[in-house]
Amino acid sequence: MGLHLPVIESTNSWFPVQELIAPAKPGRPNSAAITGRDNFFQTSQYQMRLPPIAYHVFRRPLPYQPTWNLQEKIHQIQLQQRRESSNHKDLLLLLEHRPVYTSGRRQTEPYIKDERERLTQIGADFVTATRGGQLTYHGPGQIVGYPLLDLSRYSPVMGARDYVCRMERLLQIHLKEAHAVDHCPSEHTGVFLDPRTKVASIGVQVRHRLTSHGFAINVTQEPCRWFDRIVACGLDDVRAGSIEGASGKALTVEGEMPGLIERFGRLYERDMVTLDLTEDSPINRAILVLEEEASAMGSWNRAPLDSH
């Protein structure tokens, strides 16, 4: 990415990609240069056997605020269980959101107020998030991944820079292997199809070496109509793209999940197993409650209400 920035480590920070990816040190390959399975494991610095990551794919689009609350609940459970026994699970939550615009904490209140009024009128929710960054959109047709991992399990401990580099490569490799779509290098946060078309966003939070938030990638064209109503991430000259548009194939979110899960395990050097929701645990109960809440909410707007 060509950015000469210091390594950032914190117990409570939000990390956009451009703040984290820096050139590799001499003799130590940067994971952003990894191009495939063989090269990845040859350059790995982690030499240990770790427990699998349990993943869960939600059946229906989820409301944003309760999903955010779920992440916070899981974070607290992981933190407590790590202190008591170190038997806490690492998780990957995969989902779609109901149509929602989210703003970052650095945006001014007058701007947020005006945007909230305008965007809720076209049929979307609006949430002011604790993350950094600016206005963006999540909704059906877009896969959102929330990894809830303990980076201290890796030896040496995986830093935030390496964690985000791997996430970016995950999305780039998925485009290439699953759809023969090349990404375009960019100085901006996310994954681009060309200098003016963005297909995926990344932003993570790391507290006490436990991760939350994650990535979003547009699969179908549906999210693009909602993105057209805003200047996403403060980039005036950039529009949203999708894998469907880039590949010229009709795609579904469900069809992308297996390959994305496999590649996630590959890039983070972990086995992937389905989360067993038949086990009675605080995390499983919280997930099932959110599944029920999403089902009870019924249908959602498939396009902005001002579409013609």
Side-chain angles (χ1 to χ4, degrees), residues 30-51:
N30 189 323
S31 60
I34 297 164
T35 57
R37 181 190 301 267
D38 295 336
N39 285 345
F40 180 79
F41 286 107
Q42 288 171 9
T43 60
S44 172
Q45 60 179 303
Y46 304 107
Q47 305 295 329
M48 84 301 287
R49 181 72 175 177
L50 294 174

Side-chain angles (χ1 to χ4, degrees), residues 86-145:
S86 298
N87 289 329
H88 53 293
K89 281 187 170 69
D90 283 339
L91 301 171
L92 172 63
L93 305 181
L94 292 165
L95 54 109
E96 298 169 271
H97 277 299
R98 295 173 67 90
V100 60
Y101 293 98
T102 67
S103 64
R105 62 176 180 265
R106 296 180 182 177
Q107 293 178 281
T108 63
E109 184 56 37
Y111 175 81
I112 292 172
K113 180 181 178 182
D114 292 344
E115 287 295 86
R116 179 184 290 110
E117 181 177 350
R118 179 177 71 87
L119 295 171
T120 53
Q121 288 178 353
I122 65 172
D125 294 331
F126 190 99
V127 176
T128 302
T130 57
R131 62 169 176 79
Q134 300 187 52
L135 191 65
T136 192
Y137 170 79
H138 298 300
Q142 177 194 78
I143 294 177
V144 174

Side-chain angles (χ1 to χ4, degrees), residues 1 3 15-21 164 168 188-190 201-203:
M1 302 289 286
L3 298 178
F15 300 108
V17 167
Q18 73 265 30
E19 295 180 2
L20 290 168
I21 299 178
V164 174
E168 185 175 50
H188 298 300
T189 302
S201 298
I202 301 172

Side-chain angles (χ1 to χ4, degrees), residues 11 14 79 116 131 167 198 201 205 219-220 248 271:
T11 58
W14 175 271
L79 192 60
R116 179 184 290 110
R131 62 169 176 79
M167 188 173 293
K198 184 177 182 181
S201 298
Q205 192 171 31
V219 176
T220 72
D271 291 332

